[in-house]
Amino acid sequence: MRVQAEPFDVGAELAAFAAGRQDVGAEVSFSGVVRDDGGLAAMEIEHYPGMTEKALAKIEAEAVARWDLKASLVIHRYGRLEPGEKIMMVATAAGHRAEAFEAAQFLMDYLKSRAPFWKKETGADGASWVAAKDADEDALERW
Amino acid sequence: MRVQAEPFDVGAELAAFAAGRQDVGAEVSFSGVVRDDGGLAAMEIEHYPGMTEKALAKIEAEAVARWDLKASLVIHRYGRLEPGEKIMMVATAAGHRAEAFEAAQFLMDYLKSRAPFWKKETGADGASWVAAKDADEDALERW
Amino acid sequence: MIEVLYFAWVRERIGLPRESIETQAATVADLVAELRAREDRYDMAFSDVSALRVALDQELAGFDAPLAGVREVAFFPPMTGG
Amino acid sequence: MIEVLYFAWVRERIGLPRESIETQAATVADLVAELRAREDRYDMAFSDVSALRVALDQELAGFDAPLAGVREVAFFPPMTGG
């Protein structure tokens, strides 16, 4: 689990992920990208140093235990990002595909609503905080 | 969509995937790995040249249309593979995470049961064809 | 004249990957009956068609599908890709 | 003495990221009431607590949670990571 201001390389991370393990049959990765819906100049991500790391470690440990993951990875950036930049990524490695997919979705759902990050978007009309979606909170109920 | 005997590099594929697109908010990748459950020496993958490409193209086109994918990728190897080698990968890029995850799972479920590949495992006790699982056929019913 | 292809253990049991067959079979099931009557290795390979799949001109089909106009028939076990 | 942290628009409305507060508040809700009584900017920031979340010593908690033994309280809007 890493919380960092610096960019990361999804391809390089994934190439190194679970390398050499022979009990892994399925690997899933997710990455979130700064999307330009029209006029977005930049995204600023604020976080809560200390709590962020604790929350991510807890979510990751729960996923590893629940789906018997052979490997897992969570990286989340903070600070200023531009459209097209990767915000975060998760990766899961398991024996079979169902577990790898479920665990990655679990990580994402919890990370969205339970890890202390806040996004502020700056566009032509000024800056505004991204509002949490009810759908993201509701997504937790399936787990 | 590529069907090939040669190894591929998941990291490099994903680094190039959907690069530069600003309408993408979420990217999901899945890769299948030759898993050694104990004593597996090699896996031989047979396929049906011609039909394989048609089946994969059809499955991919359906996923792109159904989830409005901004980009998609399907690579599947055939021939001899050793434990730890990547068998195949899919990647999906969409506006939001739910679509990217669903489309990747749809691709995998159809690819498992509707693309003409057959796996033969060679181990200490000789060689045997991998049997199709009822669960894989059942997985199609959710779509 | 129709091209008949065999894959995976069907290919191994019959002992060849493909052959051209002169047939008047109206359906896949009729073709299977003709093949089974040929030799034991065919009879064994097709003994349980519920364990087999068939593709006509590279599209999955049923065993009751007509063969009129079909150039390529393939028999194989359930697929195990991914 | 308790450390109180503010994030995102809560931080912007109150105008500072953190402060040390001397308080006898028994619960989070009591602390919120004390803060609201201080100045308008606090009153406005806490006007709708249903739009806020609170963490005690870096763990999410409810507004009715007791403050006994707590060293760090953080107020922020619903999280939007990922």
Side-chain angles (χ1 to χ4, degrees), chain C residues 63-77:
Chain C
F63 281 81
D64 54 353
L67 288 180
V70 170
R71 287 155 304 164
E72 189 172 299
V73 179
F75 293 103
F76 42 78

Side-chain angles (χ1 to χ4, degrees), chain A residues 46-48 50-51 54 58 76 87-88 111-120 129-130 132, chain D residues 5-9 11-12 53 55 57-60 72-74 76-82:
Chain A
E46 183 171 337
H47 80 121
Y48 183 172
M51 179 171 169
K54 279 187 204 172
K58 188 177 165 187
H76 204 301
I87 303 168
M88 48 71 60
L111 200 151
K112 277 265 168 194
S113 305
R114 291 291 181 270
F117 291 101
W118 301 273
K119 293 188 183 122
K120 189 178 196 175
W129 291 96
V130 173
Chain D
L5 285 70
Y6 310 110
F7 292 98
W9 59 252
R11 172 179 54 71
E12 290 179 337
R53 300 290 179 269
D57 289 332
Q58 307 189 350
E59 294 275 353
L60 286 172
E72 189 172 299
V73 179
F76 43 78
M79 295 158 274
T80 56

Side-chain angles (χ1 to χ4, degrees), chain B residues 46 48 117-120 129, chain C residues 8 11-12 58 72 77 80 82:
Chain B
E46 182 170 338
Y48 182 172
F117 290 100
W118 301 274
K119 292 187 184 125
K120 189 178 195 175
W129 292 96
Chain C
R11 172 179 56 70
E12 290 179 336
Q58 307 190 349
E72 189 172 299
T80 55

Side-chain angles (χ1 to χ4, degrees), chain B residues 9 11 22 24 34 36-37 42 50 57 60-62 68 81 102 111 118 121 124 129 131 138-139 141:
Chain B
D9 180 334
Q22 302 205 335
V24 168
V34 181
D36 182 5
D37 278 323
E60 192 174 357
E62 192 172 336
D68 188 26
L81 283 78
E102 280 187 22
L111 200 150
W118 301 274
E121 294 180 339
W129 292 96
D138 295 346
E141 284 172 24

Side-chain angles (χ1 to χ4, degrees), chain B residues 23-36:
Chain B
D23 54 351
V24 168
E27 296 178 14
V28 167
S29 79
F30 175 92
S31 54
V33 189
V34 181
R35 190 164 45 93
D36 182 5

